[in-house]
Structure formats: structure tokens, C-alpha cells
Amino acid sequence: MNTENVDILIIGAGPSGSVAAGYLQKQGSKIKVVEKQKFPRIVVGESLIPRVMDHFDEAGLFEALDSYGFEKKPGARFIRGKEICIFDFSNKFGEGWDWTWQIPRADFDKAMTDELQRKGVDIAFETEVTNVEFNGTNSVTTIKDKNGTVSQINAKFVIDCSGYGRVLPRILKLESPSKLDPHSAIFTHVKDVNRPDGVEGTQISFDIIETEVWLWVIPFSNGNTSVGIVGPTEYIDKLSVTGNTEEAIKNAIKLSDFYVKRFDKLSFEFDPIHLKNYSVAVSQFYGEGYALTGNSTEFLDPVFSSGVCFATESGILAAKLALKQINGEDVNWEKEYTEYMKYGIDVFTTYVKEWYTGNLQELFYHQPENPDVKRKICAVLAGYVWNKENTFVAKHHNIIKNMAYMIRENKMDS
């Protein structure tokens, strides 16, 4: 059996694996990336948030990605009937990028891996991890390529960036139930022939159908637009009694007074994809010789587009700490990795929960707007969820529900 030796093995070539590989390649590490699928492939996670730009820049990927002309995302719009709330990332609390991209992931992920391969990174596509055995921090990973050829990789450290493939959580039995209520989504792309000119045509929007049900609209620079419906699993299942995803999303579009004329008669670019009970978690984020990143750890909800942000945040951090460890430096994985990542995840978890309770929506649509509150919430939506100078980060557990309570009390008194 063929065997190769590397410093760090990366499982998965999505955003998490790509930023990890980009960073490690810059440091001169001997790495290998193993990816089960063939790129390009369709995957969810098409709306980014500004924090990810820091990671693409540090991983040496920004310039290549910027050259593709992906649609720029300067903020986001939330629609509730006739009420409109727009967040502008340039008007947020604290420092940080004030724009990002909205992207077809098939093209975006391929652009990243193309750049990595151009720089000499070894990526094995259509190659599946079948087993991993650890001996202390060292590991032997068994892989099988598309031709059925089996080989092994000896690594000093493994970073699992496999996303929903959840390779190590599955092999090591680390999967755990999510703290969030079960929600599901169905999405597809349309050729947006009715797209209006100007900002309206390219504005990323979230149209609230009911408190817990919303439609996403993500326009791309290639003329297509991603349309998806999100809600409690029971609600999504009822959109088609036969389970037909095309019928379901057509029925969902009809529920949107704002978008029904734009999308109602359009055909779909691919069969709509159903993501059922998408929230996931794990019992631990790392172990001796490995770290889990992105959706291999936790996926919350698509409502605030946090998925790719946590993927790249954890991917580049795991790469830095793994490199320190194999270079003989002490690494406190619990403090430097788990506690750090869980803090940001905890902040976003609060925002997701309070979105679905309706409390956060009270703050979004309250008039007159409070500019200070809006700037601080905007910083969270931009992904800067580790900035404890922001009271909407530091006091996230209570501040949203308390302010929503006061708003409702004032409405009752007036």
C-alpha cells in the first residue's frame, strides 16, 4: 500500500480547508488536502459576512478571489411586510471590513482551490477518508480515490474541515445534538431575468413570511439568484404534501408579496436542494492530534450567514495552533481554540434564538431607529462577535430580550 508523510493533513477543501491550506502553504508546511467531492459542486453558504475577508487576506487568497468579480455585499436588507430594515456594514461599531461577497459556492470554492493548486498545494479530489487511527498526536489516515485505490497518509496533525461530511465526528463518535430547535431549508438558483436595475437588483434580502419563516434572495454577478425558504421543519415539510422540493419552493415564493412577481414564473437552474434539520453540534472541538473546524463542529442557522465565517475563523486558527504544536511550542487547545470559538458561536446562537422568538425582530423594526443600537447589532451581523467592547456582544444573553420587552411595554402604554 502506498504511504506518504505530511506535517498536517486537511480533510475537506471548502472555505475552512482552503484558508487553513493557504495559511500553512505560506508558512512552508508540508500539507495535503483530501476532498471527497469533485469541484465545482453546489453547496449552501452563498452569503458571506465581512469578518471572512480577514481570513481570505491572511491566507493569501483575497487577490485571486477579488479578480473573479463576485457580487459585492455592502450590507443586508430584512423585509417584514411593508417594514424595511437595512444594515450597512460601513456603519457598524468598531473596526473591520465594511463589505464582503455574495457568491455561487460552486464557482467560489473552485476559485479558492484553483489558486491553492497554482501555488503548489496538493489537493486530492474525489478521495474519501475511510479510517483514521491516532497514536498520540501522530495519525495514520486511510483514503480511497475514485478508482478504488487505497493508500495511507502519516500526519503529525489532522484538521477536519469536512463540513457536513463530519469525518472525524463520525469516526470518533463525537456527534452531539444541537441546542437549536429543528429547522430546515430548501433552495435553488434561478436565471434572474426580471432583475431590476441598480441596487434593488443586487440587494441581498431576507423576506419574513412569518416570525419563524423567511425567504432568502441572494443575487449573483453571473445573472443568477439564489432563492431559499427557511423555517421549522414541520412547516417546510408541509409546503409539498408529496415531498416535491420544486413544488415546495414554488409555493414558498408565492408567499412573498415582495418577490412573487420577480420569481414566480421562472424555471430552476437545478433541482431544489432540501436541507433537513440542518443544525448540528459536537461533544468536543479537538483531541490529541486533531482539531475540528466549521460545520464539522457546529452549524447554527443560515439566517445571519454565520456558517462560512465560523468555518474560516476556525480553519485559520486551527492551522496556526497546529503549526505551533508540531514546531514544539505549547498550545492550550481548550483556551486558545475551544473557548475562543465557543464564545463567538455562543453570541451568534443567542442572535439566532432571539430572531426566532421575535425579540430581535422587534429591535430591527422599532421606530424611530436608535443609531447606536443599530451600529452595534450591525457589527455582530458583520461577524465581529469577539469584540467585547460592543455591549451587544458582551451582554448578548440578556440585552436583546430586555430591549424587546421594553419596546413591547412602551407599545402597550402608548
Side-chain angles (χ1 to χ4, degrees):
M1 183 185 301
N2 183 52
T3 301
E4 60 182 307
N5 300 306
V6 299
D7 293 330
I8 298 175
L9 171 65
I10 299 170
I11 305 173
S16 183
S18 288
V19 297
Y23 175 82
L24 291 168
Q25 184 272 335
K26 287 175 64 178
Q27 310 308 312
S29 299
K30 186 177 182 182
I31 61 174
K32 185 179 182 72
V33 181
V34 174
E35 167 58 52
K36 184 177 180 180
Q37 294 183 296
K38 180 181 179 179
F39 282 19
R41 66 4 179 173
I42 297 167
V43 66
V44 75
E46 300 158 325
S47 167
L48 306 182
I49 55 179
R51 173 60 178 158
V52 304
M53 308 301 273
D54 296 299
H55 309 138
F56 294 137
D57 193 25
E58 192 170 7
L61 295 171
F62 173 78
E63 287 188 12
L65 292 172
D66 196 39
S67 71
Y68 280 80
F70 294 115
E71 190 66 50
K72 288 190 175 182
K73 174 185 171 183
R77 175 174 65 179
F78 295 84
I79 303 165
R80 187 174 68 177
K82 295 183 179 180
E83 297 174 291
I84 302 290
C85 177
I86 298 176
F87 287 94
D88 178 353
F89 292 139
S90 68
N91 187 20
K92 66 180 178 303
F93 178 87
E95 299 296 319
W97 287 73
D98 57 15
W99 64 275
T100 184
W101 293 299
Q102 46 208 51
I103 40 91
R105 282 284 302 278
D107 299 338
F108 189 79
D109 290 12
K110 182 72 161 56
M112 284 191 291
T113 55
D114 282 353
E115 176 64 8
L116 290 171
Q117 288 181 312
R118 187 189 70 78
K119 291 181 174 182
V121 175
D122 180 8
I123 305 178
F125 289 102
E126 298 180 271
T127 300
E128 179 182 7
V129 172
T130 59
N131 191 44
V132 183
E133 293 182 359
F134 289 93
N135 181 14
T137 58
N138 294 324
S139 62
V140 179
T141 299
T142 304
I143 59 174
K144 182 171 67 174
D145 67 18
K146 62 181 179 181
N147 299 317
T149 303
V150 176
S151 59
Q152 291 185 324
I153 303 169
N154 297 319
K156 299 174 185 175
F157 200 90
V158 177
I159 303 177
D160 185 351
C161 307
S162 61
Y164 274 121
R166 297 170 68 75
V167 171
L168 289 185
R170 179 170 39 82
I171 291 174
L172 302 178
K173 301 186 180 349
L174 304 175
E175 294 179 304
S176 176
S178 173
K179 297 176 185 176
L180 296 170
D181 293 334
H183 283 70
S184 297
I186 300 173
F187 81 103
T188 188
H189 293 174
V190 298
K191 194 171 293 296
D192 199 354
V193 295
N194 300 322
R195 178 181 292 183
D197 293 332
V199 173
E200 180 59 42
T202 58
Q203 175 80 66
I204 184 170
S205 299
F206 304 84
D207 187 9
I208 302 169
I209 309 300
E210 297 181 10
T211 300
E212 289 192 66
V213 181
W214 52 279
L215 189 81
W216 81 56
V217 174
I218 308 173
F220 303 137
S221 59
N222 64 5
N224 291 345
T225 291
S226 176
V227 181
I229 184 72
V230 180
T233 296
E234 185 178 359
Y235 182 100
I236 298 299
D237 287 346
K238 289 179 179 178
L239 287 171
S240 171
V241 294
T242 62
N244 183 297
T245 57
E246 185 170 332
E247 178 187 27
I249 202 160
K250 283 182 177 179
N251 287 336
I253 289 170
K254 287 181 171 64
L255 297 172
S256 171
D257 293 337
F258 198 94
Y259 282 112
V260 63
K261 289 183 180 178
R262 180 165 163 182
F263 299 123
D264 188 33
K265 303 299 182 183
L266 301 185
S267 57
F268 303 140
E269 294 297 291
F270 55 83
D271 290 338
I273 296 173
H274 190 179
L275 305 169
K276 192 162 186 172
N277 298 330
Y278 46 67
S279 299
V280 294
V282 289
S283 58
Q284 62 191 61
F285 279 38
Y286 71 95
E288 195 172 15
Y290 70 87
L292 311 178
T293 74
N295 292 352
S296 294
T297 56
E298 300 204 19
F299 178 76
L300 301 179
D301 192 277
V303 65
F304 299 126
S305 309
S306 62
V308 173
C309 179
F310 284 131
T312 56
E313 187 85 39
S314 57
I316 205 160
L317 179 56
K320 292 176 181 178
L321 296 177
L323 184 59
K324 284 177 63 177
Q325 179 171 300
I326 67 173
N327 285 338
E329 299 179 52
D330 289 334
V331 175
N332 185 334
W333 282 92
E334 186 63 26
K335 181 177 179 59
E336 296 178 65
Y337 189 66
T338 297
E339 290 182 11
Y340 175 84
M341 287 306 306
K342 281 192 172 182
Y343 186 88
I345 291 170
D346 195 31
V347 173
F348 256 120
T349 298
T350 294
Y351 276 73
V352 170
K353 286 181 176 179
E354 295 295 8
W355 172 263
Y356 286 116
T357 64
N359 287 335
L360 189 57
Q361 295 178 38
E362 286 283 1
L363 273 62
F364 276 25
Y365 298 106
H366 178 64
Q367 293 294 328
E369 287 185 346
N370 182 317
D372 182 61
V373 168
K374 191 168 185 179
R375 286 175 63 246
K376 289 175 177 176
I377 292 176
C378 186
V380 172
L381 301 187
Y384 293 98
V385 290
W386 289 272
N387 182 2
K388 297 178 185 179
E389 294 180 0
N390 184 349
T391 51
F392 277 75
V393 171
K395 299 180 180 181
H396 66 92
H397 284 299
N398 297 310
I399 195 167
I400 298 169
K401 66 177 70 173
N402 289 345
M403 290 194 72
Y405 174 80
M406 289 191 296
I407 289 170
R408 293 189 182 104
E409 287 292 298
N410 288 337
K411 286 180 180 178
M412 291 175 64
D413 293 340
S414 60

